[in-house]
């Protein structure tokens, strides 16, 4: 494949008639498509990296690799894969998947210091998978969904994903899966003739594995889904060592249907695969800045250890975006590299094409701060949350979530909490109140109690936070004792409780990093502001202002038995039972009798007694019964 | 005893219960309080804890099936009662009083019961006095025993620490004990319908009392000279029919209350029998099944549950002349071998001990048992605290206490049964029989043995 723009040809080795049919299909189809898909191609690939300094001196780098493809429907062109990973499309087809979102991350994303997560769906610690399944086609007349079949499809899906990403996603069972009613809606476009709205949550499955570790073995198969893998382009920066040195990193993968130009309805939706990596670096701890405490300059080379050497020839666009809103630093690259400045979404973003940069022989971009970074004054987002465990000891406890709303108007939020079955959660202890002790009456409370080893506790609350308030949602639990073989190898490490989720529609997009709901790339999103600049700030649709905040995941200690003693415990408990059984057996089966004197003395006599006993002539030597000796007894009997 | 002399113990009993229940008033689960009886595992088990009842009511009020979770195991009628009581704002502060009131009613019933039992003993003694040995006159019960026994029984109920904590902790075992006391009174009064009703309520609440059907039948069998066929038609069948009628009625009402949903059956009786929850308590089950190998679990659950019921028939044959002692023994064995025992169960049969004071002279181990019970009651909470809060002990320490506690109770029951047998033996044979035999045979080794 020559470098530069990809050729609009079908793959090699395709038989002639098929090729012709594919080309015809492509041409016909492309005629009706919008501008983002270049004519003659049904697929396109975009790679972007956003560099954003955070208020606490850290640097956020968000890679976004977008692959778009015409919906692989019935026509041959749709089933031909050039850039789009075939395994993902087959995954969707095999499991009747409508949408999929998956994140694997390590480290807490702290909204208060970092703003909102650049992923639309956020990224809680550990693994999270959510999937919308297609309703059965044709849809049943009464829209009754076979929940069972959704659960079965989910089971197959997670097993397939587990193999695809080398993650333990096959551990998603009923105890870690839920389908909340209010917190989620499809991210992409959804066909209007499907009953999404009525019974949507029945098609939805969400699973958390807060203990899942993210490591290089997940990164490698993830990179293989990219057209250039990690050989060329922005993905060549993604080496394991610098990634795992970060404060927070998350790998994401999401599949959905979108319209070509960021609108909600269209006749020919595209299939979109977004692979993203979110990294948070600490530049002031880098060796380059070690000499000076206040120095926090960073460059691509210092962050990733290597520079950019080549662009991905498959990529339609390959852009580096720098958030320069606060004008804290100036960017160094060779003279004459053309760049664009977007004033959009309340931010200033400088964009430069990787091609242009490489043409000028530069493989690096250096950011030098104009003045030392001053910490301490971090303007926290107006909505953020914290969650923690209260109580002490290994018998009881509680979970408290504090949600801060610094808006001057009341804000409706949906709170979703999943508590594993072994924390026996008491619904009647649910308290929702402000810091001043004022009770908040929720609009809706959905609680589904757990069943042991079967399903978790799910609490979903729709409530309105008062303006300028800190609200607190607390619930108490009892810790249960598991069977000794159910404890993980390091039982005293504790058990993870997955993050709670707070979903809200904010009045503005302040602190947002993620792009609008119906857009595929940053480029598209930022361009949309310049096109409709006259009313850009006022016309943000509701769906673009949705924010999802994942709180900290929790680690809770359960009481443990002594793992070394099963035999002793079984023996001792049985002994106590025998202590009752023996005497009661004696008491109920025997009578009190008078026993006169001991057995005959002397060896000879004893042997003789034994022999006669064996011979069955025990009569003369056996002790006399009370009846024989006591005349009074004889009378009674 | 006159009513006035009982005033002071009753007021003291009330004061003690209120004192301990005030510490259980407002603390939530998240702030554990070692002195809160409602949170102590020895007192509040999954079956009788008040916060579990509250949880069931909360789910019920929310429109959910309270038995869809794993927390609530109260039968529906009690849930409904709890809902009704908790639904009244004005009563919010008076709910502890509700439990204390039932506990005091039980105390009064125990007094009545003591009188009835001793009356029966005296009556039987008069009837059978011809068959007693001439030496046995000294062993007989005095008529004066009747004067004090109800007083001592009530005292032992009112000041039984287990029962004080149980009612202060608002456990629903208070109702178990109330129904059991009613049943025992009705049984001794030979009121078949009443006894069946109260037994059905007790069985409905906690299942294990179903074995008390046998003492009830034995009670009606006593003294009759009917053939077994007549016995079957005039005693066994009517008792069974009446009892089943009440029980089915209760279950049917529950079924209707739950909106024709039978899920409560598995959540209550299934829970009692299959022992799925392993929360610590003073019984033998929890740690045993925590440490159990999974493939043996079903076998041992069956074995342990059979063990709880297996003694009914042999004991009924042996104790056919004393249905009260039979009922007492079965209640005691239930308190030891049930799947989720609590102090309330143990305290109830310990409070009935003064009624059996005529057996005390024949016991051997009462002192040992008293020491064991005291030590375990004191050490139990300490070792639990060391395990759960301090982390300096482990589960074995607390389980060892459970084993000793169970052993002490087993010693007590077997000792009382031996004492009963000995007393019967001495009544027939005279208590000087050993001396006589020893003198007559010139062998100082004569003993009374079970053979």
């Amino acid at each position: 494949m020559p470098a530069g723009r990809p050729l609009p040809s079908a793959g090699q080795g395709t038989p002639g008639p098929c090729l012709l049919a594919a080309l015809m299909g492509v041409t016909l189809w492309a005629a009706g498509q919008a501008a983002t898909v270049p004519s003659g191609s049904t697929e396109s690939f975009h790679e972007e990296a956003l560099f954003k300094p955070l208020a606490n001196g850290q640097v956020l780098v968000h890679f976004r690799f977008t692959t778009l493809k015409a919906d692989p429907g019935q026509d041959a062109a749709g089933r031909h894969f050039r850039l789009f990973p075939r395994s993902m499309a087959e995954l969707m087809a095999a499991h009747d998947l409508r949408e999929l979102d998956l994140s694997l991350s390590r480290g807490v994303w702290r909204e208060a210091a970092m703003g909102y997560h650049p992923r639309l769906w956020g990224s809680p610690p550990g693994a999270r998978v959510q999937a919308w399944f297609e309703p059965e086609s044709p849809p049943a007349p009464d829209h009754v969904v076979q929940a069972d079949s959704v659960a079965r499809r989910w089971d197959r899906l997670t097993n397939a994903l587990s193999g695809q990403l080398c993650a333990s996603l096959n551990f998603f069972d009923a105890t870690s899966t839920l389908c909340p009613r209010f917190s989620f809606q499809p991210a992409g476009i959804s066909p209007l003739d499907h009953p999404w709205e009525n019974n949507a949550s029945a098609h939805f499955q969400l699973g958390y594995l807060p203990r899942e570790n993210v490591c290089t073995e997940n990164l490698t198969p993830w990179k293989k889904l990219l057209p250039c893998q990690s050989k060329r382009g922005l993905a060549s920066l993604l080496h394991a060592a610098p990634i795992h040195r970060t404060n927070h990193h998350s790998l994401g993968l999401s599949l959905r249907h979108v319209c070509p130009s960021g609108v909600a309805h269209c006749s020919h939706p595209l299939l979109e695969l977004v692979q993203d990596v979110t990294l948070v670096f600490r530049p002031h701890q880098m060796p380059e800045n070690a000499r000076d405490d206040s120095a926090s300059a960073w460059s691509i080379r210092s962050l990733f250890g290597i520079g950019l050497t080549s662009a991905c020839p498959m990529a339609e666009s390959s852009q580096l975006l720098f958030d320069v809103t606060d004008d804290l630093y100036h960017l160094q690259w060779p003279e004459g590299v053309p760049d664009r400045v977007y004033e959009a979404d309340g931010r200033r973003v400088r964009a430069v094409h990787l091609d242009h940069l490489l043409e000028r022989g530069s493989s690096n971009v250096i950011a030098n701060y104009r003045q030392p970074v001053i910490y301490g004054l971090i303007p926290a987002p107006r909505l953020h949350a914290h969650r923690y465990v209260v109580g002490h000891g290994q018998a009881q406890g509680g979970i408290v979530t504090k949600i801060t709303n610094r808006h001057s108007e009341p804000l409706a939020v949906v709170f979703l909490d999943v508590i594993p079955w072994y924390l026996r959660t008491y619904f009647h202890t649910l308290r929702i109140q402000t810091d001043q002790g004022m009770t908040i009456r929720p609009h809706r409370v959905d609680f589904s109690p757990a069943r042991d080893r079967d399903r978790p506790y799910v609490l979903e609350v729709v409530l309105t936070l008062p303006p300028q308030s800190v609200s607190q949602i607390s619930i108490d639990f009892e810790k249960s004792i598991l069977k000794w073989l159910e404890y993980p190898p390091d039982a005293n490490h504790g058990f993870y409780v997955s993050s709670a989720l707070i979903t809200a529609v904010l009045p503005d997009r302040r602190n947002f990093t993620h792009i609008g709901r119906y857009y595929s790339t940053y480029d598209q999103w930022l361009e949309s502001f310049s096109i409709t600049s006259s009313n850009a700030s006022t016309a943000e649709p509701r769906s673009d202002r949705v924010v999802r905040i994942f709180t900290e995941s929790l680690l809770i200690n359960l009481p443990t038995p002594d793992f070394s003693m099963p035999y002793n415990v079984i023996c001792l408990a049985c002994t106590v039972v025998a202590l009752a059984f023996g005497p009661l057996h004696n008491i109920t089966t025997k009578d009190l009798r008078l026993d006169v004197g001991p057995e005959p003395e002397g060896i000879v006599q004893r042997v003789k007694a034994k022999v006669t006993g064996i011979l069955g002539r025990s009569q003369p030597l056996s002790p006399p019964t009370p009846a024989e000796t006591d005349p009074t007894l004889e009378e009674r009997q | 005893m006159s009513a006035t002399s009982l005033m002071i113990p009753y007021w003291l009993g009330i004061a003690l219960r209120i004192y301990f229940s005030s510490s259980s008033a407002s603390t939530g689960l998240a702030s554990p309080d070692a002195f809160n009886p409602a949170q102590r595992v020895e007192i509040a088990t999954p079956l009788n804890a008040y916060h579990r009842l509250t949880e069931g009511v909360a789910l019920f009020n929310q429109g959910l099936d309270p038995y869809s979770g794993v927390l609530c195991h109260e039968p529906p009628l009690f849930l409904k009662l709890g809902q009704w009581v908790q639904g009244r704002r004005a009563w919010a502060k008076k709910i502890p009083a509700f439990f204390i009131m039932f506990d005091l009613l039980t105390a009064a019933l125990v007094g009545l019961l003591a009188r009835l039992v001793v009356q029966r003993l005296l009556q039987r003694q008069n009837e059978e006095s011809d068959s007693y040995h001439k030496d046995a006159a000294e062993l007989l019960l005095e008529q004066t025993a009747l004067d004090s026994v109800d007083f001592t029984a009530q005292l032992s109920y009112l000041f039984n620490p287990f029962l004080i904590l149980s009612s202060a902790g608002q456990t629903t075992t208070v109702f178990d004990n109330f129904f059991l006391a009613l049943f025992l009174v009705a049984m001794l009064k030979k009121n078949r319908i009443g006894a069946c009703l109260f037994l059905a309520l007790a069985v409905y609440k906690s299942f294990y009392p179903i074995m008390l059907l046998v003492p009830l039948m034995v009670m009606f069998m006593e003294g009759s000279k009917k053939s077994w066929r007549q016995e079957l038609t005039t005693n066994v069948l009517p008792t069974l029919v009446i009892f089943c009628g009440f029980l089915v009625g209760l279950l049917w009402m529950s079924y209707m209350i739950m909106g024709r949903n039978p899920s409560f059956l598995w959540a209550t009786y299934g829970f009692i029998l299959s022992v799925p929850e392993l929360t610590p308590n003073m019984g033998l089950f929890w740690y045993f099944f925590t440490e159990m190998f999974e493939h043996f679990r079903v076998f041992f659950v069956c074995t342990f549950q059979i063990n709880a019921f297996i003694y009914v028939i042999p004991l009924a044959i042996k104790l056919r002349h004393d249905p009260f002692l039979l009922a007492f023994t079965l209640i005691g064995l239930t308190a030891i071998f049930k799947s989720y025992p609590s102090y309330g169960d143990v305290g109830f049969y310990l409070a009935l001990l003064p009624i059996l004071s005529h057996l005390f002279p024949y016991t051997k181990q009462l002192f040992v048992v008293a020491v064991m019970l005291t030590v375990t009651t004191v050490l139990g909470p300490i070792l639990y605290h060391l395990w759960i809060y301090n982390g300096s002990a482990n589960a074995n320490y607390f389980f060892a206490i459970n084993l000793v506690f169970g052993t002490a109770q087993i010693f007590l029951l077997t000792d009382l049964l031996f004492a009963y047998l000995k007393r019967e033996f001495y009544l027939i044979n005279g208590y000087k029989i050993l001396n006589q035999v020893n003198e007559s045979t010139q062998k100082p080794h004569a003993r009374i043995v079970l053979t």
Side-chain angles (χ1 to χ4, degrees):
Chain A
M1 190 68 77
R5 292 285 164 232
L7 291 174
S9 73
Q12 287 144 12
T14 316
C18 287
L19 178 71
L20 194 64
L23 277 175
M24 278 175 67
V26 167
T27 323
L28 285 173
W29 180 86
Q33 280 303 307
T36 42
V37 182
S39 58
S41 168
T42 61
E43 295 177 34
S44 63
F45 173 64
H46 306 264
E47 50 179 15
E48 287 164 318
L50 173 73
F51 294 77
K52 184 183 179 186
L54 299 173
N56 57 1
Q58 297 178 333
V59 174
L60 161 71
V61 185
H62 180 65
F63 290 89
R64 192 177 164 92
F65 304 96
T66 312
T67 316
L68 290 164
K69 175 178 176 38
D71 200 352
Q74 302 308 313
D75 59 332
R79 277 185 272 123
H80 186 75
F81 298 94
R82 204 169 55 85
L83 301 174
F84 199 91
R86 182 179 183 136
S87 57
M88 283 293 126
E90 282 176 349
L91 196 75
M92 289 193 87
H95 305 103
D96 287 337
L97 209 55
R98 183 76 206 167
E99 276 180 27
L100 172 75
D101 188 79
L102 174 154
S103 69
L104 295 165
S105 48
R106 201 206 62 186
V108 184
W109 181 269
R110 300 184 185 283
E111 273 82 14
M114 302 178 177
Y116 298 126
H117 201 282
R119 303 196 76 232
L120 179 63
W121 294 106
S123 185
R128 183 197 56 122
V129 178
Q130 67 185 46
W132 292 89
F133 292 93
E134 293 275 12
E136 276 92 43
S137 53
D142 53 352
H143 306 318
V144 174
V145 183
Q146 299 284 320
D148 201 356
S149 80
V150 168
R152 238 180 295 133
R153 279 187 273 172
W154 167 255
D155 197 38
R156 282 188 281 127
L157 170 71
T158 50
N159 276 289
L161 283 173
S162 152
Q164 191 78 50
L165 291 170
C166 293
S168 320
L169 302 179
N170 51 328
F171 284 113
F172 281 119
D173 50 6
T175 61
S176 52
T177 305
L178 58 151
C179 43
R181 289 180 62 186
F182 307 117
S183 296
F184 290 88
Q185 59 177 24
I189 54 162
S190 55
L192 291 176
D193 52 346
H194 285 316
W196 287 116
E197 304 307 317
N198 305 332
N199 201 5
S201 70
H203 302 284
F204 181 67
Q205 295 275 288
L206 166 71
Y208 292 111
L209 288 178
R211 201 180 179 168
E212 177 69 14
N213 282 319
V214 187
C215 61
T216 44
E217 66 182 18
N218 306 125
L219 184 68
T220 311
W222 180 92
K223 281 196 292 198
K224 286 191 174 159
L225 297 174
L226 295 169
C228 294
Q229 302 201 348
S230 56
K231 305 281 189 297
R232 312 191 83 177
L234 295 178
S236 63
L237 294 177
L238 298 175
H239 283 279
I243 287 184
H244 292 277
R245 270 207 303 269
T246 52
N247 265 13
H248 168 97
H249 71 259
S250 70
L251 280 184
L253 190 152
S254 86
L255 278 165
R256 59 174 187 163
H257 292 84
V258 289
C259 279
S261 52
V263 292
H265 308 295
C266 57
S267 53
H268 296 287
L270 303 174
L271 184 58
E272 179 203 80
L273 167 70
V274 176
Q275 291 175 259
D276 54 64
V277 180
T278 309
L279 307 165
V280 176
F281 290 94
R282 292 159 292 184
H284 49 278
Q285 291 180 357
M286 285 177 183
E288 295 90 318
N289 298 326
R291 291 201 196 137
D292 184 358
D293 282 347
S294 60
S296 48
W298 49 268
S299 66
I300 290 178
R301 203 182 286 278
S302 72
L303 295 179
F304 295 99
I306 49 168
L308 285 158
T309 51
S310 57
C312 174
M314 318 279 186
E316 191 111 330
S317 66
S318 176
Q319 284 201 87
L320 298 170
L321 300 145
F322 298 89
D323 191 311
V324 291
T325 311
D326 299 326
D327 203 24
L328 292 170
Y329 55 90
H330 61 89
L331 294 162
Q332 281 180 10
W333 55 58
E335 289 289 316
V337 175
D339 66 327
R340 286 194 62 175
V341 177
Y342 295 101
E343 295 271 0
D345 197 16
R347 287 182 293 163
R348 274 186 83 221
V349 177
R350 270 182 88 178
V352 59
H353 277 282
L354 182 58
D355 291 342
H356 299 150
L357 211 57
L358 291 171
E359 276 165 20
R360 299 277 165 170
S362 171
S363 62
N364 195 12
V365 176
I366 301 167
N368 280 317
Y369 281 78
R370 297 185 199 283
Q371 56 199 36
V373 179
I374 298 165
Y375 306 110
L377 290 169
I378 300 172
R382 295 205 216 159
L383 178 72
H384 57 98
H386 281 295
R387 193 161 75 135
Y388 50 90
V389 182
V390 292
H392 66 279
Q394 296 181 345
Q396 290 126 342
I399 295 179
V400 176
T401 311
K402 281 198 165 175
I403 310 176
T404 309
N405 174 27
R406 289 280 162 240
H407 291 95
S408 51
E409 58 263 43
L411 185 69
V413 298
V414 184
F415 172 77
L416 171 69
D417 205 349
V418 193
I419 301 170
W421 62 266
Y422 40 78
L423 300 178
R424 303 183 183 279
T425 307
Y426 285 87
F427 177 62
H428 75 266
T429 61
L430 174 69
R431 286 178 303 278
I432 307 172
Q433 56 192 27
T434 61
D435 257 8
Q436 283 80 39
M438 188 185 78
T439 304
I440 300 174
R441 286 188 71 84
H443 307 298
R444 256 324 265 271
V445 177
D446 255 30
F447 180 74
S448 114
R451 294 213 70 100
D452 284 359
R453 301 166 184 89
D454 185 20
R455 60 167 199 236
Y457 294 89
V458 180
L459 173 69
E460 205 171 17
V461 184
V462 184
L463 72 157
T464 300
L465 305 174
Q468 300 289 352
S469 68
V470 180
S471 310
Q472 149 172 336
I473 298 173
S474 66
I475 196 157
D476 295 350
F477 57 78
E478 270 177 0
K479 300 173 182 181
S480 56
I481 292 199
L482 310 182
K483 296 172 190 165
W484 71 300
L485 289 173
E486 287 174 334
Y487 287 89
D490 185 7
N492 289 307
H493 175 74
F495 289 74
Y496 285 90
V497 179
S498 54
S499 313
L501 170 65
I502 293 141
T503 311
V505 180
L506 297 189
D508 54 48
R509 279 181 56 89
R510 187 183 301 219
N511 295 105
F512 275 43
T513 314
H514 63 76
I515 61 177
R517 175 180 160 191
Y518 292 116
Y519 293 87
S520 294
T521 60
Y522 273 104
D523 194 39
Q524 204 185 26
W525 166 242
L526 295 170
E527 281 296 345
S528 73
F529 284 87
S530 56
I531 293 164
T532 58
S533 57
S534 56
N535 56 352
S537 54
T538 54
E540 287 167 0
R542 258 177 76 82
S543 58
D544 289 349
R545 288 179 277 117
V546 174
V547 68
R548 291 183 180 81
I549 300 173
F550 283 99
T551 63
E552 299 88 340
S553 61
L554 306 173
L555 184 59
I556 290 175
N557 264 306
L558 292 190
T560 52
D562 184 341
F563 296 106
S564 60
M565 291 208 15
Y567 292 100
N568 304 7
V569 168
I570 292 168
C571 293
L572 289 169
C574 288
T575 305
V576 172
V577 172
L579 276 180
F581 188 85
L584 286 173
H585 180 264
N586 273 343
I587 287 165
T588 51
T589 54
K590 292 175 182 173
D591 269 328
L592 275 183
R593 295 270 165 77
L594 197 65
D595 175 17
V596 182
E599 294 280 304
E601 302 274 329
I603 287 178
V604 179
Q605 273 164 312
R606 249 189 272 167
V607 170
K608 201 176 161 191
K610 211 160 244 177
V611 170
T612 50
I614 291 167
L615 292 176
R617 294 187 283 116
S618 58
Q619 216 56 17
L621 280 171
S622 70
T625 59
E628 286 166 11
T629 52
D630 189 0
T632 50
L633 261 186
E634 211 167 356
E635 284 165 28
R636 301 289 155 257
Q637 291 166 354
Chain B
M1 280 287 151
S2 63
T4 47
S5 64
L6 274 170
M7 287 294 276
I8 295 167
Y10 267 83
W11 281 117
L12 266 175
I14 292 174
L16 279 171
R17 280 161 174 78
I18 289 176
Y19 172 76
F20 282 105
S21 72
S22 65
S23 63
S24 73
S26 59
T27 51
L29 282 174
S31 49
D33 175 4
F35 298 102
N36 181 350
Q39 284 186 13
R40 292 234 55 99
V41 287
E42 302 92 337
I43 296 158
T45 68
L47 282 178
N48 68 5
Y50 183 70
H51 55 264
R52 302 246 178 178
L53 175 71
T54 314
E55 175 69 8
V57 171
L59 292 180
F60 210 16
N61 289 340
Q62 187 70 15
L64 293 165
D65 176 7
Y67 304 107
S68 61
V70 289
L71 289 175
C72 178
H73 308 290
E74 291 293 335
L77 290 176
F78 288 90
L79 207 60
K80 200 76 189 163
L81 178 72
Q83 190 187 27
W84 181 72
V85 171
Q86 292 186 355
R88 267 144 224 278
R89 282 277 166 77
W91 291 11
K93 298 260 181 219
K94 295 171 194 154
I95 288 171
F98 196 69
F99 286 86
I100 292 171
M101 187 183 79
F102 273 95
D103 212 31
L104 296 182
L105 282 176
T106 314
L109 284 169
V110 166
L112 181 61
L113 175 70
R115 237 184 129 73
L116 286 170
V117 172
V118 174
Q119 262 172 6
R120 244 184 65 82
L121 281 174
L122 287 169
Q123 191 190 336
R124 189 175 147 226
Q125 199 168 283
N126 288 337
E127 285 167 8
E128 295 182 356
S129 59
D130 309 338
S131 60
Y132 291 156
H133 193 272
K134 59 183 186 313
D135 287 345
E138 292 172 43
L139 307 179
L140 294 180
L141 224 56
E142 303 277 334
Q143 194 69 33
T144 50
L146 202 53
D147 301 335
S148 63
V149 71
D150 60 339
F151 183 66
T152 49
Q154 285 178 79
L155 281 192
S156 82
Y157 193 96
L158 288 170
F159 298 109
N160 187 316
F162 294 141
L163 292 171
I164 291 173
L165 291 174
S166 183
S167 67
Q170 303 181 22
T171 63
T172 55
T173 303
V174 168
F175 298 103
D176 290 30
N177 294 346
F178 179 65
F179 293 133
L180 281 181
L182 276 173
F183 161 74
L184 290 173
V185 168
M187 180 179 96
L188 284 161
K189 289 204 162 201
K190 293 214 171 193
N191 180 341
R192 197 191 303 265
I193 294 182
C196 282
L197 172 65
F198 299 127
L199 186 59
L201 279 165
V203 170
Y204 174 74
K205 173 80 179 60
S206 57
F207 187 73
Y208 282 100
I210 198 161
M211 45 182 131
L212 296 179
L213 266 177
V214 175
L216 180 62
M217 291 174 193
V218 169
M219 186 81 196
F220 286 104
M221 234 177 255
E222 206 195 11
S224 71
K225 300 274 179 264
K226 296 171 192 162
S227 71
W228 67 269
R229 197 182 292 272
Q230 282 172 312
E231 204 63 66
L232 200 65
T233 50
T234 58
N235 175 18
V236 175
L237 274 182
T239 312
L240 274 180
V241 167
I242 298 171
F243 169 76
C244 289
F246 281 125
L247 188 61
V248 168
L250 288 169
L251 293 178
W252 186 80
M253 274 161 67
S254 316
Y255 179 66
M256 298 312 277
I257 285 178
M258 297 316 295
R260 295 178 181 274
N261 182 355
S263 63
F264 72 92
L265 287 174
W266 182 251
T268 50
Y269 311 117
F271 181 82
I272 291 171
L273 291 176
S274 68
V275 205
E277 193 177 325
L278 302 169
T279 308
N281 56 44
M282 285 306 266
L284 299 174
F285 277 69
W286 69 274
Y287 202 48
F288 187 73
F289 288 107
T290 300
E291 298 271 2
M292 178 51 63
F293 299 97
E294 194 56 34
H295 49 285
F296 288 137
R297 189 183 151 81
V298 176
F299 169 73
F300 274 104
V301 167
C302 294
T303 311
F304 269 47
Q305 295 290 7
I306 290 170
N307 176 59
F309 290 94
I310 203 169
Y311 306 109
V312 176
I313 300 300
L315 282 173
I317 294 169
K318 194 73 186 178
L319 304 177
R320 59 189 176 276
H321 299 303
D322 199 342
F324 173 74
L325 184 63
L326 175 60
F328 172 86
T329 311
L330 292 179
I331 292 172
L333 285 173
T334 305
I336 304 167
F337 290 125
K338 74 192 287 196
S339 42
Y340 298 97
S342 72
Y343 274 174
D345 302 310
V346 177
F348 181 69
Y349 83 87
L350 290 184
L352 299 181
L353 275 180
I355 303 176
L356 300 172
S357 56
H358 58 283
L359 299 179
F360 289 171
Y362 308 93
T363 55
K364 279 179 174 173
Q365 298 162 336
L366 277 195
F367 176 69
V368 176
V369 167
V371 170
M372 282 167 88
L373 284 180
T374 313
V375 167
T376 49
T377 311
V378 172
L379 279 185
I382 294 173
L383 293 182
Y384 181 78
H385 195 89
L386 289 182
W387 169 35
I388 293 292
Y389 295 103
N390 290 10
S392 51
N394 67 20
N396 296 342
Y397 290 64
F398 185 61
F399 185 62
I401 293 296
N402 294 349
L403 289 179
V404 177
F405 190 67
T407 311
Q409 294 181 69
I410 289 168
F411 281 180
L412 174 66
L413 286 180
T414 50
D415 204 20
L416 281 172
L417 289 178
F418 268 118
Y420 169 78
L421 293 186
K422 272 191 231 168
R423 183 168 183 270
E424 295 288 303
F425 180 82
Y426 286 135
L427 280 179
I428 305 290
N429 299 319
Y431 70 96
K432 290 174 185 158
I433 179 167
L434 271 185
N435 294 341
Q436 288 166 0
V437 172
N438 282 343
E439 279 164 20
S440 65
T441 59
Q442 299 297 315
K443 286 189 204 162
H445 302 294
R447 296 175 300 157
I448 298 169
V449 290
L450 270 179
T451 50

